[in-house]
Amino acid sequence: MPDAIPADSVGIVETQKVRFDEPLMLACGRELPGFDLVYESYGELNATGSNAVLICHALSGHHHAAGYHSMDERKPGWWDECIGPGKPIDTDRFFVVSLNNIGGCHGSTGPTSINPETGKPWGPDFPPLRARDWVHSQVRLADHLGIDCWAAIIGGSLGGMQAMRWSLEYPDRLKHCVVIAAAMKLSAQNLAFNELARQAIVSDPAFADGRYMDNDAIPAQGLALARMVGHITYLSDEAMANKFGRDLRSGSFELGEADSVEFQVQSYLRYQGSQFSGSFDANTYILMTRALDYFDLAREYDNDPVKAFAHARCSFFVASFSTDWRFSPARSREIVDALIEADRPVTYVEIEADEGHDAFLMPIPRYLDVFSAYMRRVGEGC
Amino acid sequence: MPDAIPADSVGIVETQKVRFDEPLMLACGRELPGFDLVYESYGELNATGSNAVLICHALSGHHHAAGYHSMDERKPGWWDECIGPGKPIDTDRFFVVSLNNIGGCHGSTGPTSINPETGKPWGPDFPPLRARDWVHSQVRLADHLGIDCWAAIIGGSLGGMQAMRWSLEYPDRLKHCVVIAAAMKLSAQNLAFNELARQAIVSDPAFADGRYMDNDAIPAQGLALARMVGHITYLSDEAMANKFGRDLRSGSFELGEADSVEFQVQSYLRYQGSQFSGSFDANTYILMTRALDYFDLAREYDNDPVKAFAHARCSFFVASFSTDWRFSPARSREIVDALIEADRPVTYVEIEADEGHDAFLMPIPRYLDVFSAYMRRVGEGC
């Protein structure tokens, strides 16, 4: 909880909800019979509607990206380091929109919502989604808000993948695409970690084939394990070493009971796991990781990213972090190489940072400087 | 099953078992009231007993390191690539001993053995072990076999840690210490992966606080998840990319049911997980990973590895593999740097290999060449 709202915060924010009744045709061939989207906005839309920026969230993200819902909120939105007055995504200049994706569990229509056909929660029957489905649903939100063309669409990780998909599906509806710590597709190792996380969830007996809501239960152990997988892979070896090393919770270094916790890193992981399992929906986690697995930017373009990006008309900003081993700088350079070959304007920066994949959320001075500089250019074109 | 025994195989081998009745005082302060060790030997002990080599196994290893138990055995022992006539650990020259550690589940006394005090399996009440306990138990085996001084003690991964501990605890009982793909202690990331694996096991309801044998059950799901963690971390990103890439099991690339398997890497992990859970004991897995966590070569030497290695009197061979991110070359170089500062003879090689941590088991030509050359030197000193 802030004692006072910091001067560079967007302050107290309110979540909006909008209903779209027209069915949405999905990539899987099924139709979503209308949906809700929850979103927040920060800053003011200008008269010509040219200063709007869309934030796409990552795996476990949501619409609450900046500011506080109340003075009682312990922490601000998840990307508060980058969104606010004077920050890289400057709310004195931009109208910033951040939504919860369909399939999510923070208010937009997803597995915990009521399936109108059955009157019960969708649960595991919620249609599988691809990143492009999110893009199509976000177009509805843009239309609703009167935004013909985004000044920029911005995302980190899975959010960066959505931003890239926007640039191919709706090339005339964004001027800049900001892709941070992302990749054109997952590696086998990425796939393997996602499979591990999903198997942890589905093998929890409380999961009950995804019908845990019918039993008023949650697969808490499975979700906690999945979150542990996430935390280990979001952090670099260096970040973990800096944060915990081999520090002990007690000074004993005595091998105690098999389930005892001696190292700080153990208690951190257990705490993070248990926090997450109380706040995130298991079917959503499965749905989101599968959307990640199936994201393959150039698949419909003869597996040629140059052909894919030939369809884009916007400028690109690509950023990666030196110790990010989930989406390493090599993956970002593949994007940049393809953009250059496709003759698209692109700015690339590789930031030295110890924090691994999580670095994209951190206030790393050089990252904030370069990101700010790029966004000033975006603002000048509004 | 081999059609015929290959010429460079040790052939059909027989497992031996030896009982030690004298209690073994453990690092945890408890006493193990006698124990069995199962072991195999390959080659002949010479008249002076100077050509004996001890193989220390890693996390999920056992005594069956080379050859075949019968003509029906599908695969030879786990390190058959390196042990046999003309191979790096040349059985024409050496008498090679390979045992299953106490705490294991392949015949030596461990959690599945009967606790003489209760007449029931030890299960989770088996005492926690440290690498030094294995060393002390292995000394008993050396005495039993009439081996005063090993020509070499050799191990990969956790086995390499045991070999290093031997060099400090019994400096006069080995002439060479061969440490492959190991480290002086785990990193925070290593600890985190072990914690994840253990949490997967203990949160399987079938684990029943480790008393699953009482219920005639096994925590199969938990063990399968733990093994998946292992497989992902033993393989490099490159190895997974080479082995599976994003290959599909069918050509559809259709998002099907939430639990469907489309990528090859998914089915590989599921298969490996289920195989392992039928053949390995969960309490042993927990015990072994905790021994790894608590291994800290220099802790009793003011955390100074130079002080630690000042106690050693043997020569060292250290090897690492370029894409091993579980025990990276940087960890091996720390060992080498400390040995040099402690004025110990050391030969170091870093092998270019795509296979990650698993490379130490693979027939990589340069690795086999360098390893063979070093072992010839060992043999000349016998």
Side-chain angles (χ1 to χ4, degrees):
Chain A
M1 163 178 40
D3 289 333
I5 297 291
D8 63 354
S9 169
V10 298
I12 300 291
V13 296
E14 221 172 297
T15 299
Q16 314 282 326
K17 183 184 278 198
V18 55
R19 172 82 195 163
F20 299 98
D21 283 319
E22 198 189 325
L24 182 71
M25 181 54 80
L26 303 170
C28 67
R30 290 167 61 187
E31 217 177 57
L32 191 61
F35 57 95
D36 295 329
L37 286 182
V38 296
Y39 69 97
E40 293 180 1
S41 67
Y42 323 114
E44 300 294 328
L45 188 63
N46 64 15
T48 56
S50 67
N51 70 332
V53 166
L54 178 68
I55 308 295
C56 298
H57 70 70
L59 189 55
S60 58
H62 46 67
H63 53 287
H64 184 35
Y68 298 85
H69 284 154
S70 75
M71 290 302 285
D72 294 333
E73 202 170 48
R74 201 172 53 83
K75 288 197 300 185
W78 58 268
W79 217 10
D80 199 79
E81 297 289 0
C82 288
I83 303 170
K87 292 179 182 174
I89 305 169
D90 189 344
T91 50
D92 287 339
R93 188 186 282 265
F94 295 112
F95 175 66
V96 182
V97 177
S98 172
L99 80 160
N100 183 216
N101 280 335
I102 53 171
C105 55
H106 289 90
S108 292
T109 296
T112 59
S113 308
I114 298 299
N115 176 350
E117 275 187 29
T118 63
K120 297 205 304 182
W122 284 95
D125 302 324
F126 196 83
L129 297 178
R130 301 276 290 266
R132 65 192 61 198
D133 297 319
W134 291 325
V135 170
H136 298 318
S137 70
Q138 290 158 3
V139 166
R140 302 265 184 104
L141 182 63
D143 292 344
H144 168 78
L145 296 169
I147 297 161
D148 289 334
C149 182
W150 298 95
I153 297 180
I154 302 177
S157 194
L158 177 56
M161 294 166 160
Q162 292 166 63
M164 286 191 284
R165 185 59 74 200
W166 258 97
S167 76
L168 306 187
E169 298 277 311
Y170 297 96
D172 296 323
R173 297 199 68 167
L174 70 163
K175 288 199 166 159
H176 294 270
C177 181
V178 175
V179 182
I180 304 175
M184 292 192 287
K185 57 188 176 187
L186 295 197
S187 70
Q189 189 185 68
N190 292 149
L191 294 173
F193 278 119
N194 280 348
E195 172 69 7
L196 173 63
R198 282 191 300 268
Q199 284 297 304
I201 292 170
V202 304
S203 51
D204 184 329
F207 183 67
D209 292 327
R211 307 208 179 274
Y212 46 89
M213 286 179 80
D214 297 352
N215 307 329
D216 216 6
I218 52 167
Q221 302 279 17
L223 269 169
L225 290 170
R227 185 56 165 184
M228 287 171 70
V229 175
H231 266 286
I232 297 173
T233 58
Y234 301 152
L235 286 174
S236 66
D237 196 9
E238 294 85 342
M240 282 203 156
N242 295 342
K243 203 162 176 173
F244 311 108
R246 292 174 54 83
D247 288 353
L248 305 177
R249 293 185 68 228
S250 73
S252 72
F253 207 68
E254 296 290 333
L255 262 165
E257 295 300 305
D259 199 30
S260 66
V261 177
E262 178 128 273
F263 297 102
Q264 292 290 6
V265 66
Q266 291 179 290
S267 69
Y268 169 80
L269 287 174
R270 291 192 192 184
Y271 175 77
Q272 293 292 340
S274 70
Q275 285 294 102
F276 187 71
S277 61
S279 66
F280 207 86
D281 178 60
N283 285 314
T284 288
Y285 201 85
I286 290 171
L287 179 153
M288 294 277 177
T289 56
R290 296 188 80 214
L292 253 177
D293 286 1
Y294 280 79
F295 184 82
D296 193 339
L297 185 93
R299 193 176 162 87
E300 290 90 357
Y301 302 90
D302 300 331
N303 289 311
D304 180 355
V306 180
K307 270 195 195 171
F309 282 129
H311 292 259
R313 305 168 75 102
C314 60
S315 299
F316 288 81
F317 175 71
V318 178
S320 68
F321 300 90
S322 56
T323 58
D324 182 353
W325 59 283
R326 194 173 169 110
F327 293 122
S328 71
R331 296 288 85 75
S332 282
R333 286 194 295 265
E334 290 167 358
I335 298 171
V336 173
D337 290 348
L339 284 167
I340 289 170
E341 214 179 316
D343 211 17
R344 285 292 87 215
V346 55
T347 300
Y348 174 59
V349 63
E350 186 175 322
I351 304 288
E352 286 293 322
D354 273 349
E355 292 86 348
H357 190 58
D358 264 0
F360 89 85
L361 300 168
M362 306 285 176
I364 297 160
R366 180 152 180 267
Y367 167 48
L368 298 188
D369 284 352
V370 177
F371 193 4
S372 293
Y374 190 85
M375 291 305 294
R376 274 195 298 274
R377 257 173 61 196
V378 173
E380 283 156 14
C382 288
Chain B
M1 165 175 40
D3 289 333
I5 297 290
D8 63 353
S9 169
V10 298
I12 300 291
V13 296
E14 220 174 294
T15 299
Q16 314 283 325
K17 181 184 275 197
V18 55
R19 171 83 193 163
F20 299 99
D21 283 321
E22 200 189 324
L24 183 70
M25 179 55 79
L26 302 170
C28 66
R30 289 167 62 186
E31 217 176 57
L32 192 62
F35 58 94
D36 295 330
L37 286 182
V38 296
Y39 69 97
E40 293 181 0
S41 68
Y42 323 114
E44 300 293 330
L45 189 62
N46 64 13
T48 57
S50 68
N51 71 332
V53 166
L54 178 68
I55 308 295
C56 299
H57 69 70
L59 190 56
S60 58
H62 46 67
H63 54 287
H64 184 36
Y68 298 85
H69 283 155
S70 75
M71 292 300 285
D72 293 333
E73 202 170 48
R74 200 171 54 83
K75 288 196 300 185
W78 58 269
W79 216 9
D80 200 78
E81 298 289 0
C82 288
I83 303 170
K87 293 180 182 174
I89 304 169
D90 188 344
T91 51
D92 287 340
R93 189 187 281 264
F94 295 112
F95 174 65
V96 181
V97 177
S98 172
L99 80 160
N100 184 216
N101 280 335
I102 53 170
C105 55
H106 289 89
S108 293
T109 297
T112 59
S113 308
I114 298 299
N115 175 352
E117 275 188 28
T118 63
K120 296 206 302 185
W122 284 95
D125 302 326
F126 195 83
L129 298 178
R130 300 276 288 267
R132 65 192 61 198
D133 297 320
W134 291 326
V135 170
H136 298 319
S137 69
Q138 289 159 2
V139 166
R140 302 265 184 104
L141 181 63
D143 292 343
H144 168 78
L145 296 170
I147 297 161
D148 289 334
C149 181
W150 298 96
I153 297 180
I154 302 178
S157 194
L158 178 55
M161 293 166 161
Q162 293 166 64
M164 287 191 283
R165 185 59 75 198
W166 258 98
S167 76
L168 306 187
E169 299 276 311
Y170 298 96
D172 295 324
R173 297 199 70 166
L174 70 164
K175 287 197 169 164
H176 294 270
C177 181
V178 175
V179 182
I180 304 174
M184 294 192 287
K185 57 188 176 187
L186 296 197
S187 70
Q189 190 184 67
N190 292 148
L191 294 173
F193 278 119
N194 280 347
E195 172 70 6
L196 173 63
R198 282 192 300 268
Q199 285 296 305
I201 292 171
V202 305
S203 53
D204 185 330
F207 182 68
D209 291 328
R211 307 207 178 274
Y212 47 89
M213 285 179 81
D214 296 353
N215 307 331
D216 216 6
I218 52 166
Q221 302 279 18
L223 269 168
L225 290 170
R227 185 58 164 182
M228 288 171 70
V229 175
H231 265 286
I232 296 173
T233 59
Y234 301 152
L235 286 174
S236 66
D237 196 10
E238 294 85 343
M240 283 204 155
N242 293 343
K243 203 163 176 172
F244 312 107
R246 291 175 54 85
D247 289 353
L248 306 177
R249 292 184 71 227
S250 73
S252 71
F253 207 68
E254 295 289 333
L255 263 166
E257 294 301 303
D259 199 29
S260 66
V261 177
E262 178 128 273
F263 297 101
Q264 292 291 5
V265 65
Q266 292 179 291
S267 68
Y268 169 80
L269 287 174
R270 291 191 193 185
Y271 175 77
Q272 293 292 341
S274 69
Q275 285 293 100
F276 187 72
S277 61
S279 66
F280 206 86
D281 178 60
N283 286 313
T284 288
Y285 201 85
I286 290 171
L287 180 153
M288 294 277 177
T289 57
R290 296 188 79 214
L292 253 178
D293 286 2
Y294 279 79
F295 184 83
D296 194 338
L297 185 92
R299 192 176 163 85
E300 291 89 356
Y301 302 90
D302 300 331
N303 289 311
D304 180 355
V306 180
K307 271 194 195 172
F309 281 129
H311 293 258
R313 304 167 74 102
C314 60
S315 298
F316 288 80
F317 176 71
V318 178
S320 69
F321 300 90
S322 57
T323 58
D324 181 353
W325 58 284
R326 195 174 167 109
F327 293 122
S328 71
R331 297 287 85 75
S332 283
R333 287 195 294 266
E334 290 167 357
I335 299 171
V336 173
D337 290 348
L339 285 166
I340 289 171
E341 213 179 317
D343 211 15
R344 286 291 86 216
V346 55
T347 300
Y348 174 59
V349 63
E350 187 175 322
I351 305 287
E352 286 293 322
D354 274 349
E355 292 87 346
H357 189 58
D358 265 359
F360 89 86
L361 300 167
M362 305 286 175
I364 298 159
R366 180 149 181 270
Y367 167 47
L368 298 187
D369 285 351
V370 177
F371 193 3
S372 293
Y374 189 84
M375 291 305 294
R376 273 194 299 276
R377 257 172 61 195
V378 173
E380 283 156 14
C382 289

